[in-house]
Amino acid sequence: MNIQIPNELLSPLPVPFQLLEYKTRLKEFGDWSRENFGLMTVRRLVNARSDFVDFILLNVWQLSDLHIEEDISLLAVGGYGRGELHPESDIDLLLLSKKAIKPAVQEKISLFLTTLWDLKFDVGHAVRTIKEAIDIGKDDITIATNLMERRLICGNNHNFEELEVELNKSKFLSSQDFYIKKRDEQEERHARYHSTSYNLEPNLKANPSCLRDLQTISWVAKKHYNTQSVAELVGHDYLLQDEYQEMQECQDYLWQMRFALHIVAKRSENRLLFDYQPQVAELMGFGDDGKPSVERMMKRFFRVARRVTELNSMLLQRFNSSILGVTRDVIVLDDDFAIHGRSLLVRHEDVFFYRANIFKMFIHIAENPQVEKLHSATIRLFRRVRRRLMGICKT
């Protein structure tokens, strides 16, 4: 356990199994979690729920006599695999074996899953051999992404280690293939939301510029560099330290909104519907004065969304060149700017030392209709100078 969950919530559960006692314990944890929203960081709270669910699953695993089976492993995958669970989020599980599971073990697995359903867990699960997990992951980008974020909860450690080896082989899914599929997946998702984050009832998970866009950055980077932590990407020179910090800040705000939304909706709801917004705004500390509170919350949300858009665009562009090796013709406009493909590219690091060049950048965009976006190098440099100018304005 990484989080200081109250000891009484982690005290031994009764044997034989008593459904009411488990439900009571889950309710007590939910009450503790809601009471501490706003008193501790949302990151600690989502990690705490993951740890507490681990505790419950370990107990149910033993009650189902699966702990005596030598060829079965219980893995958390997806968000749960990252150790991140919001109050009403589902839990994604992979029950992994080396060989086909015998009927007697299948019965125990059925008991394990039935007990979790009786406890009102929203469980997404798969029962697979290592070979099946690899084969299906090759053909399904959603499953491949889930497998990237894997964590052994209990059971046979050798199965988990063998899966690790197979997943890290390039023949499973190259970083190039993975990037292309995730990029296409993001474009399709954005199209469903009309490619805008300015939705008055945003889906905090799937909307453009929301949590999925942040996760896509980390998925692509972690696959390419074979890491399990976004923080490690700073060492690979993919992220600057301040960009990593900004990703964390944006995630924390969106997590706060989602956590509060789950509390208000009392279910796994990601759409910030009008009916929920006043209560969510109050829980987040924006006040209880109705519409003004909501306006303050949404103003902050749209600022965060803009930052996520910039990060997503800049960092995925970098992968477009570093992973795919895409090269474009460069058309020089002047000493400071050039056109690279459909992007406006800065030609040196001191471009924005002269503030007039900020206006010149927009003039080039207006005069050159083939320019559809800023190059990742331009975005990174412009973001740096914008922070500097904002600092000057505050002093």
Side-chain angles (χ1 to χ4, degrees):
M1 298 287 172
N2 300 318
I3 310 299
Q4 291 300 311
I5 299 171
N7 290 332
E8 60 269 21
L9 294 178
L10 302 176
S11 60
L13 284 158
V15 179
F17 174 71
Q18 294 178 21
L19 182 63
L20 181 60
E21 177 62 30
Y22 275 68
K23 286 185 173 180
T24 300
R25 193 72 64 88
L26 284 166
K27 181 183 181 303
E28 289 172 348
F29 176 81
D31 292 342
W32 172 84
S33 183
R34 286 187 289 274
E35 289 165 5
N36 280 279
F37 181 69
L39 300 178
M40 60 173 62
T41 66
V42 69
R43 201 175 308 176
R44 290 185 66 192
L45 289 172
V46 298
N47 292 154
R49 181 165 187 254
S50 175
D51 284 349
F52 187 72
V53 171
D54 283 358
F55 166 72
I56 295 293
L57 263 57
L58 285 167
N59 279 270
V60 178
W61 187 261
Q62 292 197 30
L63 289 168
S64 306
D65 281 339
L66 283 165
H67 64 294
I68 63 175
E69 300 296 336
E70 295 181 354
D71 186 40
I72 192 83
S73 313
L74 179 63
L75 275 63
V77 293
Y80 183 33
R82 294 192 301 271
E84 301 167 359
L85 279 180
H86 286 261
E88 304 294 336
S89 293
D90 59 348
I91 57 174
D92 290 331
L93 302 174
L94 173 61
L95 291 101
L96 189 69
S97 66
K98 190 172 181 64
K99 301 176 183 178
I101 294 174
K102 298 176 181 178
V105 181
Q106 290 177 355
E107 289 181 13
K108 293 180 180 180
I109 291 173
S110 295
L111 174 61
F112 172 73
L113 294 171
T114 301
T115 304
L116 295 181
W117 292 327
D118 287 341
L119 292 170
K120 306 301 181 186
F121 280 115
D122 186 0
V123 181
H125 75 281
V127 183
R128 297 188 176 119
T129 64
I130 297 169
K131 184 178 184 306
E132 287 171 342
I134 294 297
D135 289 345
I136 295 171
K138 287 179 181 178
D139 297 328
D140 190 316
I141 189 60
T142 301
I143 293 174
T145 306
N146 260 6
L147 287 173
M148 275 184 60
E149 296 172 313
R150 59 208 173 266
R151 178 171 58 85
L152 180 68
I153 299 175
C154 59
N156 188 317
N157 187 57
H158 295 299
N159 289 341
F160 180 71
E161 291 175 348
E162 188 171 335
L163 180 68
E164 291 270 289
V165 171
E166 293 299 320
L167 289 173
N168 288 327
K169 291 180 179 177
S170 60
K171 66 180 182 180
F172 167 66
L173 198 63
S174 69
S175 62
Q176 183 182 69
D177 289 340
F178 185 80
Y179 167 71
I180 291 171
K181 289 180 178 181
K182 296 309 289 187
R183 182 194 63 189
D184 293 347
E185 182 185 69
Q186 176 173 288
E187 289 175 356
E188 290 170 8
R189 175 171 50 81
H190 283 190
R192 290 199 300 272
Y193 291 91
H194 308 292
S195 299
T196 180
S197 58
Y198 293 97
N199 188 331
L200 297 180
E201 292 182 304
N203 184 310
L204 300 177
K205 190 174 182 180
N207 224 77
S209 309
C210 286
L211 288 167
R212 272 285 181 262
D213 280 10
L214 285 174
Q215 289 166 345
T216 297
I217 296 169
S218 62
W219 285 330
V220 170
K222 288 193 287 188
K223 173 64 179 174
H224 187 58
Y225 293 113
N226 191 26
T227 68
Q228 287 296 307
S229 165
V230 178
E232 294 177 55
L233 301 176
V234 176
H236 288 286
D237 199 32
Y238 173 66
L239 278 177
L240 300 177
Q241 182 61 46
D242 59 351
E243 291 167 351
Y244 166 70
Q245 186 63 38
E246 187 169 4
M247 280 185 67
Q248 295 298 102
E249 290 171 2
C250 292
Q251 175 185 268
D252 286 351
Y253 184 76
L254 294 173
W255 272 6
Q256 279 185 302
M257 292 186 83
R258 190 179 180 211
F259 199 101
L261 177 58
H262 280 202
I263 291 173
V264 172
K266 297 183 173 64
R267 59 191 175 90
S268 183
E269 176 62 82
N270 293 308
R271 297 166 302 162
L272 191 61
L273 302 176
F274 291 133
D275 287 348
Y276 300 136
Q277 289 179 9
Q279 291 172 273
V280 171
E282 184 178 354
L283 277 174
M284 292 184 65
F286 286 99
D288 60 355
D289 49 350
K291 186 177 178 181
S293 299
V294 171
E295 288 175 347
R296 288 190 288 270
M297 176 181 72
M298 296 306 293
K299 182 178 180 181
R300 174 82 185 277
F301 166 75
F302 289 127
R303 285 204 301 265
V304 168
R306 184 204 68 204
R307 295 163 72 190
V308 173
T309 297
E310 290 177 353
L311 288 165
N312 180 274
S313 175
M314 175 182 68
L315 295 172
L316 290 188
Q317 268 194 60
R318 292 194 64 200
F319 271 111
N320 215 53
S321 55
S322 63
I323 293 180
L324 301 184
V326 175
T327 56
R328 308 280 188 193
D329 292 335
V330 174
I331 302 171
V332 175
L333 296 175
D334 54 34
D335 291 341
D336 302 308
F337 294 97
I339 298 174
H340 180 262
R342 294 175 299 162
S343 306
L344 188 67
L345 173 68
V346 290
R347 297 191 62 202
H348 57 87
E349 290 287 308
D350 297 327
V351 166
F352 297 121
F353 180 80
Y354 301 99
R355 296 183 194 177
N357 280 343
I358 297 175
F359 298 100
K360 186 162 70 169
M361 176 181 73
F362 291 111
I363 292 170
H364 281 315
I365 293 171
E367 292 179 345
N368 295 278
Q370 69 268 44
V371 174
E372 297 180 4
K373 57 189 175 182
L374 297 180
H375 191 277
S376 58
T378 309
I379 296 173
R380 175 170 274 175
L381 198 60
F382 186 59
R383 281 162 52 81
R384 266 194 261 163
V385 75
R386 187 178 67 199
R387 281 193 296 271
R388 190 180 76 236
L389 290 173
M390 287 174 67
I392 292 171
C393 291
K394 289 177 182 179
T395 57

